[in-house]
Amino acid sequence: MLRDFGVELPEDTEIRVWDSTAELRYLVVPVRPEGTEGWSEDDLAALVTRDSMIGTGLAARPEQVAA
Amino acid sequence: MNGVHDMGGMHGFGPVEPEPDEPVFHAEWERRAFALTLAMGATGQWTIDASRFAREDWPAPAYLSRTYYEMWLAGLERLLAERGLVSGDEVEAGRPLHPARPLDRVVDAPAAMRMVRSGGPSNRDAPRPAAFATGDRVRTRNLNPPTHTRLPRYVRGKVGTVVLVHGAHVFPDVNAHGGGEDPQWLYTVRFAGRDLWGPDSDPTVSVSFDAFEPYLEAA
């Protein structure tokens, strides 16, 4: 199903599915993209997408948001 | 209920088709249907769990042929009709035809904004000690009530591990049907993908869901 969202992961990536069946909601903390060492919190926040917080995508790469 | 809304693990719906720059609402009436549902929920005429049941308790063809917000509107119309707040001829006409029944609580726009921002926490004081602790092996009961439940079909009769204990929360299965909040302990239970989907499942997959204590027994 991740492929439907255009996401390809290495075969050995552990997949943890969370089915939010009660009133509690869960957010994914996206993996920090490579090449963002030393970035400020605001700059990093610009890489965070909705999909990266619900487990259907990765955070944007630096070149995707280059000003 | 074992309704068509409980789709976890089902095949046959085709691929997910993500929409680029998906808007929150696709039409103005959707925004309105959503707001109406929240505003009417705030009147206290029904609970959020009753509201969910009103959206899921439909014949499969009716459920599947509606869009997301068409389903919300259909659920709202049912709740309004069941409680004598709007009659069928008024829904048909799209305007009030009979004197309105007064409500104890009505929200205006600022109150609605406060309500949306504050949310509606479901945690409650625990009525008794928890039966399970983190690390316990538990089996989900094979429950098939015709009424509201948050126990998905794909996870019934399976053995998993308690990974989080969330305290006591309003129990939707009872609260949906006028039985009061009946707070129950709530746990996150984790299952190996292969215990749910069989030997062909991706070996790296685990699935966690939030289980109210009445859904569980010691394994």
Side-chain angles (χ1 to χ4, degrees):
Chain A
M1 203 165 90
L2 281 176
R3 288 195 185 102
D4 292 347
F5 288 93
V7 179
E8 289 282 347
L9 296 174
E11 281 298 310
D12 59 352
T13 302
E14 184 184 334
I15 310 284
R16 297 183 183 182
V17 178
W18 286 68
D19 192 348
S20 179
T21 46
E23 296 299 333
L24 302 170
R25 299 292 173 262
Y26 299 94
L27 300 176
V28 177
V29 179
V31 174
R32 183 179 189 140
E34 285 180 21
T36 58
E37 292 72 19
W39 283 37
S40 70
E41 187 175 332
D42 285 346
D43 287 345
L44 286 169
L47 302 178
V48 176
T49 60
R50 180 197 69 173
D51 286 359
S52 73
M53 295 185 73
I54 62 174
T56 60
L58 302 170
R61 295 185 304 276
E63 63 269 23
Q64 291 174 302
V65 294
Chain B
M1 65 173 292
N2 291 348
V4 73
H5 67 287
D6 183 7
M7 295 176 177
M10 286 174 74
H11 294 145
F13 291 103
V16 179
E17 293 173 9
E19 188 181 346
D21 303 318
E22 182 185 7
V24 176
F25 301 103
H26 287 82
E28 195 52 33
W29 73 264
E30 293 187 344
R31 184 193 303 275
R32 209 168 166 75
F34 182 61
L36 274 172
T37 302
L38 294 190
M40 283 310 299
T43 65
Q45 295 290 302
W46 53 77
T47 65
I48 187 173
D49 301 300
S51 175
R52 289 203 173 103
F53 188 67
R55 287 193 290 274
E56 72 195 21
D57 180 30
W58 291 89
Y63 187 95
L64 292 173
S65 61
R66 287 177 174 136
T67 66
Y68 183 77
Y69 283 110
E70 284 172 355
M71 204 63 246
W72 276 67
L73 189 57
L76 177 61
E77 287 176 0
R78 169 185 286 195
L79 290 164
L80 292 169
E82 283 173 355
R83 283 149 185 83
L85 293 168
V86 171
S87 56
D89 56 346
E90 291 176 307
V91 170
E92 200 61 37
R95 60 191 169 84
L97 299 174
H98 312 291
R101 179 155 76 75
L103 296 168
D104 296 338
R105 202 147 37 102
V106 176
V107 290
D108 56 14
M113 191 53 79
R114 283 196 299 277
M115 191 179 81
V116 168
R117 290 198 170 135
S118 65
S122 65
N123 51 317
R124 298 289 183 270
D125 290 336
R128 65 190 79 84
F132 305 109
T134 303
D136 284 357
R137 295 285 282 170
V138 290
R139 179 181 288 103
T140 48
R141 296 177 188 272
N142 182 17
L143 305 172
N144 293 269
T147 46
H148 186 60
T149 186
R150 307 304 295 273
L151 176 65
R153 263 175 293 177
Y154 75 84
V155 82
R156 294 175 192 167
K158 308 288 187 182
V159 175
T161 304
V162 174
V163 294
L164 289 169
V165 181
H166 297 293
H169 287 252
V170 175
F171 187 36
D173 302 40
V174 169
N175 196 40
H177 300 287
E181 296 192 337
D182 187 22
Q184 299 286 341
W185 282 88
L186 180 67
Y187 308 90
T188 297
V189 180
R190 181 173 294 166
F191 302 85
R194 287 184 166 177
D195 288 341
L196 299 180
W197 315 116
D200 292 337
S201 168
D202 182 331
T204 74
V205 167
S206 69
V207 179
S208 301
F209 91 113
D210 289 335
F212 292 90
E213 196 168 279
Y215 300 165
L216 304 173
E217 58 190 9

